[in-house]
Each structure stands twice: as structure tokens, then as C-alpha cells.
Amino acid sequence: MATSAESIAYTIYTSGSTGLPKGVEVSHRAVLNLLMAMAREPGLSRDDVLFAVTTISFDIAALELFLPLIVGAQVVIAERDELADGFRLLAHIQASKATVMQATPATWRLLLEADFKPAAGFRMLCGGEALPRELANRLLAAGQGELWNMYGPTETTIWSSCERIVAGDGPISIGRPIANTRFHILDEHDQPLPLGVSGQLHIGGDGLARGYYLRDPLT
């Protein structure tokens, strides 16, 4: 079967704010845009070793499995039973000589409890839920690694923005949009708001999913 940029790469079900499951249809174009953007920032090259901890049923696994293939990097996949044991997980990370890892805040906490100390230049990507300032400061104080906050809803193909986080007391930002992505803050009438005024985040660009599977009115 012929595949085009607009063909569906995967469909993933999410409940979002409605509480009712709906299948998000993500195109090859959207996935490729995400991967090429991530290769630039936070960055991945042929010299990197990415340690993968995400189950394949979670969409962020696409970054861990496909991005190394695109840039010629190495991917090392964690064993299932290591994911609940911070000490075993840390030992595998160290043995693999990993330079990059993507995980949720819960996994980063698990590693800190096992005395995780990132080496200089080790890139820590944190996403899937809000990154607390307290956790960010602990990760940055633990070693010499880089910490990146990753943000994006399922409907915009994994990550829509990222920001390198530094230690301090300020709020954690979701950062700036990745390549070919646009952010707009709108009011209840879908009109743009001025700087400093709270509103609803609307996201557009190449990462936007094609729609919800068999749910045209909701799309």
C-alpha cells in the first residue's frame, strides 16, 4: 500500500478533558516534523546514546525509537522489570553510557532515590505531566546534566514546545514552539489576547493531528 506524508502513522486513544476515549490520528508528516525538530533541540546526533524507558503504547516512545534511527544514534531499551527498581535502572543507564533519556517526573524521582548523578552534558527530557520546580532543582543539583521541560497534548504529536530549565525559584516554562508550530493565546470568543493576559492555548502547525478517528463532529 502506498504511503504519503498525509497517511496515518499511528492512532492513539486519549480521553483528554472529556473523559471519553477518542482516537487521535497522527500523520507521517506530523511525526517527521517532531523528530527533525527534536534532533535540533534538545538535540541528538550520531554520537549520542539514548536510553529508552517508555512502553510502546505511549506516544512519546516514538521519539525514543525513531529519532536515533534518523540521526544514526544508538538506542538502549530498558528491561520491563527495571522500570520499577531505581537501582537496577540506574545501573543499566550507567553501563550503557547513555547521553540522553526521556521520562516522566515519576521516573526521574525513582532515579534520584537511587542516587542518580547525571554526567556533564547528559540531557534529561522531562514530560508527560507538569515538571515541579522542586524536582527540577533536585535533578540539576544532582550532577552536571541538562534538563529540558517538554510540553504537548496528544493532538499535536507528542511535544509542541520545549525549554531548557535552569536552577532557581521561578516558574517552569513550557518554552517556545518547536519548528513549524504556532501558539496563540485566545479568549472565550477565539480572539487574540494581549501579553500578560490569561487565556486558552491554541496550537497549530505541521504537528496538528488529522483528527479523531470516526469522530468528525468532534474533530
Side-chain angles (χ1 to χ4, degrees):
M1 183 176 67
T3 298
S4 72
E6 305 309 323
S7 298
I8 299 302
Y10 65 84
T11 300
I12 182 170
Y13 279 79
T14 178
S15 61
S17 59
T18 66
L20 299 174
K22 47 193 181 293
V24 178
E25 297 180 316
V26 178
S27 70
H28 284 268
R29 180 191 301 277
V31 175
L32 183 59
N33 185 73
L34 178 279
L35 295 175
M36 298 305 292
M38 293 293 100
R40 291 193 292 271
E41 191 177 64
L44 197 75
S45 74
R46 61 188 297 177
D47 299 322
D48 281 307
V49 177
L50 189 152
F51 194 86
V53 300
T54 307
T55 171
I56 198 170
S57 62
F58 191 8
D59 60 350
I60 70 174
L63 183 151
E64 299 175 3
L65 299 178
F66 299 136
L67 183 53
L69 292 175
I70 285 181
V71 302
Q74 180 181 351
V75 59
V76 176
I77 301 176
E79 300 289 342
R80 180 187 297 270
D81 55 0
E82 291 174 341
L83 299 178
D85 186 330
F87 293 96
R88 291 188 60 193
L89 184 62
L90 179 57
H92 195 172
I93 292 170
Q94 292 171 334
S96 72
K97 299 185 180 346
T99 60
V100 183
M101 182 174 142
Q102 170 186 253
T104 63
T107 299
W108 290 117
R109 288 189 187 279
L110 186 71
L111 285 171
L112 285 172
E113 292 171 2
D115 201 25
F116 169 64
K117 291 182 173 60
F122 185 91
R123 292 188 296 288
M124 300 172 281
L125 280 53
C126 188
E129 58 188 77
L131 171 60
R133 166 52 71 182
E134 160 268 331
L135 175 58
N137 286 345
R138 287 181 63 196
L139 287 168
L140 291 167
Q144 304 176 64
E146 296 180 8
L147 176 61
W148 291 79
N149 187 35
M150 317 300 291
Y151 169 78
T154 304
E155 289 84 351
T156 61
T157 312
I158 308 176
W159 306 132
S160 302
S161 65
C162 63
E163 177 84 349
R164 184 173 176 181
I165 305 300
V166 297
D169 299 323
I172 301 291
S173 171
I174 65 171
R176 300 180 64 82
I178 67 170
N180 304 309
T181 301
R182 300 182 302 276
F183 280 7
H184 303 279
I185 306 298
L186 307 181
D187 64 17
E188 65 271 21
H189 305 294
D190 292 340
Q191 296 301 305
L193 287 164
L195 293 175
V197 177
S198 297
Q200 188 173 57
L201 176 63
H202 290 242
I203 305 174
D206 285 354
L208 193 63
R210 197 164 81 175
Y212 295 115
Y213 177 64
L214 300 180
R215 301 288 294 277
D216 288 343
L218 186 58
T219 296

